[in-house]
Amino acid sequence: MASPVCRKATPVLFVETIAPSLAFWRDRLGFAITAEVPGEDGPVFVILVGNGIELMLQTTASLAADPHAAGMDWRGDRSCLFVEVDDIDALAAALDGCEIVAPRHDTFYGATEIGYREPGGHFVTFAQFQR
């Protein structure tokens, strides 16, 4: 069986609130917001791009409220990686038997995703975008 093709990896940084991180990434380093999910007290998720780097910021409260992330059990001590793939079915077959922490689901931003906990305890969300 051929290995699935991974296209790109994006770190997801969990934060209590997004505003302080925006002051760092956007205001000081010039990153631009390319996507944002608003919340009652400001954004709860943003994607930032700058200098050839993409990263995501997500509040811990929105992670706790996300029904697809219920298995992540975030305790402030783990990281999350967001990886784009060509074929989510091939990816799922390659990782058959590995611990799934976010069951396969479709997102509002056009991706089919599935999340795993890799053996070191870190979360990896794999996503295939409809192109």
Side-chain angles (χ1 to χ4, degrees):
M1 168 176 32
S3 296
V5 175
C6 296
R7 293 188 170 271
K8 176 175 102 173
T10 304
V12 180
L13 307 177
F14 297 122
V15 295
E16 292 299 316
T17 59
I18 297 224
S21 292
L22 285 181
F24 180 88
W25 293 104
R26 182 191 60 199
D27 302 343
R28 293 181 175 263
L29 297 176
F31 280 57
I33 295 174
T34 61
E36 180 176 334
V37 176
E40 290 181 23
D41 299 318
V44 296
F45 177 85
V46 297
I47 299 174
L48 295 157
V49 176
N51 306 312
I53 298 169
E54 178 179 71
L55 62 93
M56 300 174 182
L57 301 172
Q58 182 173 0
T59 64
T60 54
S62 73
L63 176 66
D66 184 345
H68 302 297
M72 286 184 153
D73 189 27
W74 187 82
R75 296 178 299 270
D77 59 349
R78 300 286 182 236
S79 60
C80 183
L81 192 61
F82 183 89
V83 179
E84 290 183 29
V85 298
D86 281 348
D87 184 341
I88 199 79
D89 293 322
L91 181 282
L95 295 179
D96 185 43
C98 293
E99 182 184 0
I100 295 173
V101 295
R104 186 178 178 145
H105 60 280
D106 294 323
T107 70
F108 72 92
Y109 47 87
T112 299
E113 297 180 353
I114 187 168
Y116 293 86
R117 185 186 323 265
E118 61 87 34
H122 302 281
F123 306 119
V124 184
T125 298
F126 294 95
Q128 177 183 345
F129 285 87
Q130 289 69 38
R131 299 194 193 276

